[in-house]
Amino acid sequence: MKQKLTQSFLQYAGLLGVLVLLIAVFSLSSKNFFQTQTLVTIANSNPDLIFVSVGMTLVLIVAGIDLSVGSLIALGSAVIGVLMVRHEWSLPAAFSVCLLVTGLCGLFNGFVSVWFSIPSFIVSLGMLEMARGGTKVITDSQTMYIGSRVEAFGEPLQWVPLSPAFLVAVMTVIAGQFLLTKTVFGRYCVAIGTNEEAVRMSGIRTAPITIAAFMILGLLCGLASLSQTSRLSSADPNAAIGLELSAIAACVIGGTSLMGGRGSVVASFIGVLIIAVLQSGLAQLGVEDAIKQLITGAVIIAAVLLDALRVRWGRRSG
């Protein structure tokens, strides 16, 4: 127990150290980086990635993966836009349907993967195309401007420069970490990712747990849809392309294993902040997008290598 707590402390300390180091480097390189406005902008621009990373952590821990999250965000945003613009629904009603749609898509991914023993990589890849195609169909491939009716969730509050979306995202991180570490569901998720066959032989039904993890991710995609729609004031059928890769990267940087059985929601949240600070800092330095992708990819690979070395060291010391 003591060794496990020490490893967790070292993991969080290392991630926070990297985050502080990045902030320090960019602050010295750009006089405009270490300002309240810059840091607040970084926070308010990434709630959608935070929401998805929380759910992606759970899915990765049960040894699954979901590549459809970017398309689900676009689909959820399109549902909100169509219902509010064409049918004059209120935001709460439209958001409820958005949650229903993205939640059912997550349920579908989990159900097909589990009951038909199809790798979740393949199932979610198919859902990626279906959701993106559905988004373009219902929006006629046109961006739908919604306006002020949807902006409040993404705008800074009067008493604090942070948006409700970011504050809800932080609360989601706390709830996700509690779910993972303090509930039977969370312990089952870790056990399934570690050795599903052993869990099944002990009499525990693994299918509902795995399906629930995918459904939770789907519901969080609905929240991410609301966040992105409020920030853009519109529903863009081409929104969130590639966001699934950023979410997986954040989880990997946070130490979540792609093989399942290990991960932390809080660490994934810090991973999101590391990616956000890195991209914002490089942008302020005028680095081209292609170079930013190279650097971000190198950071992800370095994180995976360091995690592998840490696991190997842990086995030897254990």
Side-chain angles (χ1 to χ4, degrees):
M1 181 68 179
K2 185 177 179 180
Q3 183 182 7
K4 189 173 182 180
L5 289 175
T6 301
Q7 289 178 347
S8 296
F9 173 78
L10 290 175
Q11 178 189 15
Y12 290 131
L15 289 170
L16 290 173
V18 171
L19 181 60
V20 171
L21 179 62
L22 285 174
I23 293 175
V25 169
F26 289 127
S27 298
L28 293 173
S29 303
S30 173
K31 63 179 181 179
N32 297 321
F33 186 82
F34 195 67
Q35 294 182 355
T36 301
Q37 184 58 44
T38 300
L39 299 178
V40 165
T41 299
I42 291 174
N44 291 338
S45 298
N46 288 281
D48 44 358
L49 183 56
I50 296 172
F51 286 127
V52 173
S53 296
V54 172
M56 187 67 76
T57 301
L58 297 178
V59 169
L60 290 174
I61 286 175
V62 297
I65 196 168
D66 192 337
L67 300 179
S68 67
V69 292
S71 295
L72 291 186
I73 291 173
L75 178 61
S77 179
V79 168
I80 293 174
V82 168
L83 292 178
M84 293 188 68
V85 174
R86 295 180 182 172
H87 302 283
E88 299 184 354
W89 283 31
S90 66
L91 178 58
F95 175 57
S96 298
V97 177
C98 164
L99 280 179
L100 177 63
V101 171
T102 58
L104 287 175
C105 288
L107 177 64
F108 176 86
N109 283 340
F111 178 82
V112 173
S113 176
V114 170
W115 285 100
F116 295 94
S117 299
I118 301 174
S120 55
F121 175 90
I122 302 298
V123 178
S124 61
L125 189 61
M127 178 58 73
L128 180 154
E129 294 294 339
M130 291 172 58
R132 186 66 65 177
T135 300
K136 292 180 179 180
V137 167
I138 64 175
T139 60
D140 297 323
S141 298
Q142 301 294 320
T143 298
M144 306 190 70
Y145 179 73
I146 304 173
S148 59
R149 290 189 296 162
V150 77
E151 291 175 353
F153 190 61
E155 291 183 339
L157 297 168
Q158 292 183 352
W159 50 275
V160 65
L162 298 172
S163 67
F166 179 77
L167 297 177
V168 172
V170 171
M171 289 188 287
T172 303
V173 170
I174 296 171
Q177 185 69 10
F178 179 85
L179 180 68
L180 182 61
T181 60
K182 301 297 183 181
T183 67
V184 174
F185 173 82
R187 291 194 289 271
Y188 282 173
C189 285
V190 174
I192 290 170
T194 303
N195 192 333
E196 183 176 1
E197 187 61 29
V199 175
R200 189 180 294 114
M201 291 180 66
S202 67
I204 299 171
R205 296 178 61 201
T206 61
I209 304 297
T210 302
I211 293 173
F214 276 93
M215 187 173 179
I216 290 172
L217 176 54
L219 291 171
L220 290 174
C221 284
L223 269 172
S225 298
L226 176 61
S227 171
Q228 187 162 99
T229 304
S230 64
R231 191 172 71 252
L232 300 176
S233 304
S234 60
D236 182 0
N238 296 311
I241 293 177
L243 186 136
E244 58 276 353
L245 301 181
S246 296
I248 294 170
C251 295
V252 170
I253 289 173
T256 299
S257 173
L258 292 174
M259 299 297 104
R262 178 167 50 84
S264 164
V265 173
V266 172
S268 295
F269 171 60
I270 301 174
V272 171
L273 297 181
I274 289 174
I275 291 177
V277 168
L278 179 63
Q279 292 180 342
S280 178
L282 292 174
Q284 283 209 7
L285 293 178
V287 177
E288 296 180 1
D289 288 341
I291 304 300
K292 285 196 294 184
Q293 289 179 317
L294 284 172
I295 295 174
T296 303
V299 169
I300 294 168
I301 293 174
V304 173
L305 291 175
L306 289 173
D307 182 62
L309 291 174
R310 183 177 65 85
V311 172
R312 185 175 300 178
W313 176 82
R315 289 174 179 173
R316 287 179 179 177
S317 62

